Amino acid sequence: MFSFSGCFMVARVQSVAFQGIDVLPVDVQVQITSGLPKFTIVGLADKAVAESKERVRSALYAMGLALPPKHIAVNLAPADLIKEGSHFDLPIAVALLVAMEVIQAESVKPFMVLGELGLDSRIAAVNGVLPAAISAASLSMGLICPEAQGGEAAWAGEIQVLAPGSLLALINHLSGRQMMAAPQPKIEEQKAELADLKDVKGQESAKRALEIAATGGHNLLMIGPPGSGKSMLASRLAGILPDLSPTEALEVSMIHSIAGQLKEGKLLKQRPFRDPHHSASLPALAGGGLKAKPGEISLAHRGVLFLDELPEFQRGALEALRQPLEAGKVSIARANAHVSYPARFQLIAALNPCKCGYMGDPSRECSRAPRCGQDYQNRISGPLLDRFDLVIDVPSVSAKDLNLPTPKEGSKEVRERVQKVRERQQERFNQLAPDQAITTNAEIQGELLERTATPEPDGIELLQTAAERLRLSARGYHRVLRVARTIADMAGVETILRNHVAEALQYRHRSS
């Protein structure tokens, strides 16, 4: 059994709170004093934190240790910062053990601590270990976290990480009775074989647009009747995108760690592909809710957000995409906090030409055309449509096309081309704008857009004429330039020619 001398010291353990992906330090203070037996937690704690005392009490009891019959006060400082989540269980328990003189204060002083306790004293996984580890590294501290997430924390760099499976294992390590091995960084294994473009027969123009979108990171809207292959094409996009760079992988994994979606503490390798159902609410897409969690657009950061049946989504949820598509981040305002998440995603969407889906189909013509199609597509605002770089028609596939042999070229070959062109883009950005974190042509703007995407004189003349006739907005004009830059890159030329501009123009929506 452990002993307790009864001194009225204040034990301190460092932990963290989260606002978005920002990590805020929290000082967990525990004091045991004379008085009626009571266990109190103060410091603007939410329900999960307030319930920590029962989990801590049971975890200590499972090890054969009873709380002293005194007044136990836990203060989470700063007191005006909201504390949310079960990850405060472990720091409270450790600070309590320091106050009870079970472990030495100096042994935990160099560590940040977070973890959830089970009633049997096991330490369960929590959200936010990776950003907490990076914050600890910036402060030259170590990290104590759940065993299941030791590999996640190890990516923070040269810091000491302790990843015990139980509270008893942590006590034994800190007391020098049983040493724990340092966890090794983990990375996501290659997922099962992704859907291949070879499965798509016909739709050559749509495949071309899909490759352009993948190469330049452009937003793509596909319009076509049911069964034409829109969803099939979108699902193949993941197979032709290059893997995340190390910097991107760390950035994306931090968001997924905060959301509790980093499985087994493994750093992500493949770009996210998120495809929420059209019933998704505004907080589900943009983020928010009671704890301002990241939404689908942030979970799709550096990857793809696919919205099938676009007009069926709530109007407010779709309009919330407009600002993040331009700024690359989303800001969530709450009464007590203002949280921002990165949201630089590639938007791929699909819709039917009308409610019944067959407007324009000579074999199954819509009986209410053109009003049916106008009403259906008017559910999508002009400003949102203007943010699509590529808008294509995906016609029905004929039985003749379906009987064609399997195409020789699949996702592997297209992915290799996309990778090579993206590498050339990155070399250009590193040379012309080394201080800007630009990775694709879809992100270039301002002076850099003028320097890299100005066509030859014939191309400029064509673009200006088309801009007047099509009434292109300034945004639409610049998006044509970015797409033309990508098409020129795919052709392996530095100068944007007239035919590159012409192809880019054909992808503009008629109302842009």
Side-chain angles (χ1 to χ4, degrees):
M1 292 289 290
F2 300 108
S3 63
F4 169 64
S5 64
C7 60
F8 299 155
M9 64 177 290
V10 176
R12 284 184 165 87
V13 168
Q14 293 299 309
S15 190
V16 294
F18 301 101
Q19 280 191 356
I21 60 172
D22 296 327
V23 178
L24 307 177
V26 172
D27 186 20
V28 180
Q29 307 167 2
V30 172
Q31 186 178 55
I32 302 177
T33 58
S34 300
L36 294 175
K38 191 175 182 181
F39 195 153
T40 305
I41 299 178
V42 297
L44 216 54
D46 75 345
K47 182 69 172 177
V49 182
E51 292 172 345
S52 290
K53 56 186 179 183
E54 299 302 329
R55 293 190 290 272
V56 170
R57 189 196 311 272
S58 297
L60 295 181
Y61 182 80
M63 298 188 301
L65 177 64
L67 292 176
K70 296 180 179 293
H71 182 261
I72 301 172
V74 178
N75 179 42
L76 307 177
D80 60 348
L81 174 67
I82 293 180
K83 319 301 187 308
E84 299 175 331
S86 59
H87 67 273
F88 287 104
D89 289 4
L90 188 57
I92 290 174
V94 170
L96 186 57
L97 291 170
V98 170
M100 296 168 64
E101 299 182 348
V102 174
I103 55 179
Q104 298 297 314
E106 292 300 317
S107 64
V108 297
K109 186 176 181 180
F111 291 97
M112 278 187 178
V113 186
L114 71 165
E116 177 184 328
L117 286 175
L119 300 183
D120 57 356
S121 85
R122 294 181 184 178
I123 302 175
V126 293
N127 299 349
V129 168
L130 180 57
I134 294 174
S135 176
S138 68
L139 298 173
S140 300
M141 298 181 70
L143 185 78
I144 299 176
C145 66
E147 181 180 35
Q149 295 169 296
E152 178 181 341
W155 284 104
E158 299 296 327
I159 69 169
Q160 184 180 5
V161 177
L162 300 181
S166 66
L167 187 56
L168 182 59
L170 177 61
I171 294 173
N172 288 337
H173 177 88
L174 296 175
S175 303
R177 290 191 288 268
Q178 183 180 358
M179 304 304 291
M180 289 185 294
Q184 298 301 311
K186 296 181 180 179
I187 193 165
E188 173 191 57
E189 293 92 358
Q190 187 70 29
K191 293 180 180 178
E193 195 67 27
L194 296 171
D196 201 301
L197 271 176
K198 285 185 178 181
D199 301 331
V200 182
K201 295 183 179 182
Q203 304 294 14
E204 297 304 320
S205 61
K207 290 181 184 178
R208 167 70 175 175
L210 196 70
E211 184 174 347
I212 294 172
T215 303
H218 302 292
N219 301 326
L220 170 65
L221 174 63
M222 296 178 283
I223 305 175
S228 58
K230 303 184 297 296
S231 300
M232 191 177 188
L233 284 163
S235 65
R236 268 72 183 162
L237 181 60
I240 64 175
L241 290 173
D243 287 337
L244 294 164
S245 69
T247 301
E248 290 174 334
L250 197 62
E251 187 179 355
V252 171
S253 296
M254 286 177 63
I255 301 171
H256 285 249
S257 177
I258 290 289
Q261 296 191 16
L262 205 59
K263 296 180 180 179
E264 300 177 4
K266 295 178 180 178
L267 209 67
L268 296 178
K269 180 181 179 182
Q270 295 181 330
R271 294 185 182 274
F273 184 90
R274 309 290 299 188
D275 54 345
H277 190 261
H278 58 73
S279 61
S281 63
L282 171 58
L285 273 182
L290 183 62
K291 297 185 179 181
K293 291 296 184 181
E296 292 291 336
I297 64 175
S298 293
L299 295 172
H301 181 61
R302 298 296 180 189
V304 175
L305 177 67
F306 174 50
L307 302 183
D308 200 3
E309 304 297 342
L310 188 65
E312 301 296 337
F313 282 82
Q314 298 176 20
R315 181 68 177 259
L318 291 181
E319 294 305 302
L321 302 178
R322 287 162 50 181
Q323 186 265 347
L325 282 170
E326 296 291 331
K329 65 177 182 179
V330 59
S331 298
I332 303 168
R334 305 192 329 183
N336 48 21
H338 191 88
V339 179
S340 293
Y341 289 107
R344 193 166 294 284
F345 59 96
Q346 185 176 355
L347 178 60
I348 308 297
L351 60 87
N352 296 328
C354 65
K355 183 68 175 178
C356 69
Y358 296 103
M359 189 179 74
D361 188 339
S363 62
R364 301 182 64 177
E365 183 60 55
C366 173
S367 60
R368 296 182 56 244
R371 183 63 181 270
C372 179
Q374 292 172 352
D375 292 344
Y376 191 63
Q377 294 189 27
N378 282 342
R379 297 182 185 182
I380 307 166
S381 69
L384 180 59
L385 281 175
D386 203 27
R387 285 165 168 80
F388 285 100
D389 305 276
L390 309 165
V391 180
I392 62 171
D393 290 320
V394 184
S396 298
V397 182
S398 66
K400 183 178 179 180
D401 286 335
L402 293 175
N403 288 322
L404 291 172
T406 301
K408 294 182 179 179
E409 184 177 81
S411 295
K412 180 181 178 182
E413 292 77 12
V414 176
R415 188 175 189 271
E416 289 174 354
R417 288 202 299 267
V418 171
Q419 179 69 46
K420 289 179 181 178
V421 179
R422 282 210 177 192
E423 288 173 357
R424 290 201 297 271
Q425 290 177 21
Q426 195 62 61
E427 290 175 3
R428 181 190 298 133
F429 301 145
N430 292 340
Q431 181 181 0
L432 299 179
D435 56 332
Q436 300 181 37
I438 300 175
T439 58
T440 61
N441 285 335
E443 300 173 32
I444 56 178
Q445 54 187 334
E447 182 184 356
L448 184 61
L449 181 62
E450 294 181 4
R451 295 175 64 186
T452 60
T454 299
E456 64 170 2
D458 285 351
I460 294 176
E461 182 182 357
L462 174 62
L463 180 55
Q464 289 176 344
T465 302
E468 293 176 1
R469 291 181 178 178
L470 299 176
R471 292 180 294 177
L472 293 181
S473 66
R475 180 187 294 112
Y477 184 94
H478 291 147
R479 288 182 181 273
V480 170
L481 287 177
R482 295 187 185 104
V483 174
R485 175 69 272 167
T486 298
I487 295 171
D489 288 340
M490 293 170 65
V493 297
E494 192 63 29
T495 303
I496 299 176
L497 305 178
R498 180 185 176 90
N499 62 300
H500 302 145
V501 175
E503 184 178 359
L505 281 168
Q506 77 175 10
Y507 295 123
R508 289 308 300 172
H509 192 265
R510 57 184 178 274
S511 65
S512 293

